[in-house]
Amino acid sequence: MSESNIPTNQWKLWEVFTQKKSGLPHEHAGSLRAPDAEMALLNARDVYSRRNEAVSIWVVPSECMVSSTPEDVGSFFDPANDKLYRHPNFYKTPDGVKWTS
Amino acid sequence: MIATDTERELEFQAKIDRGEVIEPKDWMPERYRKQLIRMMSQHAHSEVVGMLPEGNWITRAPSLARKAILLAKVQDEGGHGLYIYSAAETLGIDRGEMIDQLHTGKAKYSSIFNYPTLNWADIGAIGWLVDGAAIVNQTALAKCSYGPYSRAMIRICKEENFHHKQGYQMLAYMMRGTKEQQEMAQDAMNRFWWPALMMFGPSDTDSPNSAELMRWKVKLHSNDDLRQRFIDRTVPQAEAIGLKIPDPKMKFNETTRHYEHGEIDWQEFKNVVSGNGPCNRERLRARVKADTDGKWVRDAAEAYAKKHMN
């Protein structure tokens, strides 16, 4: 994802997400520049799937992406740190009980 | 509490030493950013300029199959340029700015592309030797500390393997052909061998950036180590199809289990890097012309996009 602050005479930046095969999640493949969504999709196919690497592609304008920041990583994810009881291995079953999960 | 730059730099180095990967939004020393921009833009330019010597032979490929293969390879190189440009843009430089630096001669690209492709066998030699050397370099870069660069390299290495193998197969066929075809293949080998060795850059004793780049794990191996790796895997491949290495001093050292090579002509290397190779001016002229001639296509795409926005 670009963090560029320099004014640009280039086309809009797009983030490309590809799905390898149906049933799998879409994953970030990279970015590219294109004047509109239609061209972004065509370019994404030519740049990121020349060898059937994708069965589905999403393109999103980079300016629409919102993300967490590395500086805040500690406090941002902190709420999950002290909740071991959210995991099944927090709980013990009585001896002799067979537990399959 | 605001950390000072020195503290941040120490933490940055510790992170790299722990084997963690640096991502675009992470703090990084300004010099790390600058060095990466320099390396990545050079790399992207090399992919794009690399299309020119090969593009020269698309219309003259000897069969439809070879033409389709060459077209696919050249298209890949364009794609590789795009992956790396977009990875470099994550460091805060604009693609237009990088391309401008290429066109004005401010940015460099790999010197290998300043050599001409004189006969069809050169296309085989480029795939086998030039892409072979590039794979050795890029496999190392795939483990570098900057996430977007490393991910682009992983993608590129997969595709380069096709380039590498098709080139070798082409020369293998020629070496089983007529005497003229064999001579043509050997001639390509003679011209591309030394420039391919130079692709790894100056010897370690003469490589000013190496120590810093290795500390930051941008480079993981020295130029000489990577060059040796390339030689060790390529010499047996040449011998297997009857091509001679144009180096009378090349010999296998039974003790070290490595091939030893003759002196590289670093004067020639410096000469080509500084702009006086056989094709430097022609390559830049072709790039600028492609950019100027293609302007109307970009303008049309933009006009179409504007029209359909409303």
Side-chain angles (χ1 to χ4, degrees), chain A residues 7 12 15-17 19 27 30-31 37-38 40 48 59 62 70-72 76 80 88 91 98:
Chain A
K12 200 150 87 168
E15 300 305 320
V16 180
F17 298 82
Q19 185 190 33
E27 267 183 23
S31 42
E38 193 185 339
Y48 293 104
V59 289
S62 306
E71 292 80 42
D72 300 337
F76 188 73
Y91 303 92
K98 264 194 182 169

Side-chain angles (χ1 to χ4, degrees), chain A residues 16 18 31-32 38-54 57 59, chain B residues 71-72 74-83 155 159:
Chain A
V16 180
T18 54
S31 42
L32 54 78
E38 193 185 339
M39 286 292 289
L41 209 47
L42 288 176
N43 288 352
R45 179 200 61 192
D46 292 342
V47 177
Y48 293 104
S49 184
R50 284 191 299 281
R51 290 175 177 77
N52 298 105
E53 288 97 334
I57 298 177
V59 289
Chain B
L71 270 170
V74 172
Q75 193 193 7
D76 276 349
E77 306 299 359
H80 296 176
L82 289 177
Y83 304 156
R155 193 176 282 278
E159 302 185 346

Side-chain angles (χ1 to χ4, degrees), chain B residues 179-219:
Chain B
K179 192 167 170 288
E180 285 77 11
Q181 286 169 326
Q182 291 172 9
E183 282 169 3
M184 202 187 260
Q186 184 63 53
D187 173 53
M189 174 79 182
N190 293 348
R191 283 178 292 107
F192 277 94
W193 175 255
W194 291 103
L197 296 191
M198 293 176 197
M199 282 175 69
F200 296 94
S203 183
D204 299 337
T205 48
D206 192 24
S207 177
N209 292 317
S210 275
E212 183 181 60
L213 293 176
M214 285 179 83
R215 184 160 52 85
W216 283 331
K217 291 191 188 165
V218 172
K219 273 175 82 163

Side-chain angles (χ1 to χ4, degrees), chain A residues 23-100:
Chain A
L24 292 178
H26 285 69
E27 267 183 23
H28 187 239
S31 42
L32 54 78
R33 290 190 176 272
D36 61 14
E38 193 185 339
M39 286 292 289
L41 209 47
L42 288 176
N43 288 352
R45 179 200 61 192
D46 292 342
V47 177
Y48 293 104
S49 184
R50 284 191 299 281
R51 290 175 177 77
N52 298 105
E53 288 97 334
V55 295
S56 164
I57 298 177
W58 297 344
V59 289
V60 184
S62 306
E63 64 200 19
C64 296
M65 303 278 297
V66 181
S67 66
S68 61
T69 56
E71 292 80 42
D72 300 337
V73 73
S75 57
F76 188 73
F77 293 104
D78 172 71
N81 288 348
D82 57 353
K83 297 179 180 62
L84 285 176
Y85 49 84
R86 285 182 169 164
H87 301 277
N89 49 9
F90 177 77
Y91 303 92
K92 291 196 172 54
T93 48
D95 287 349
V97 174
K98 264 194 182 169
W99 195 271
T100 41

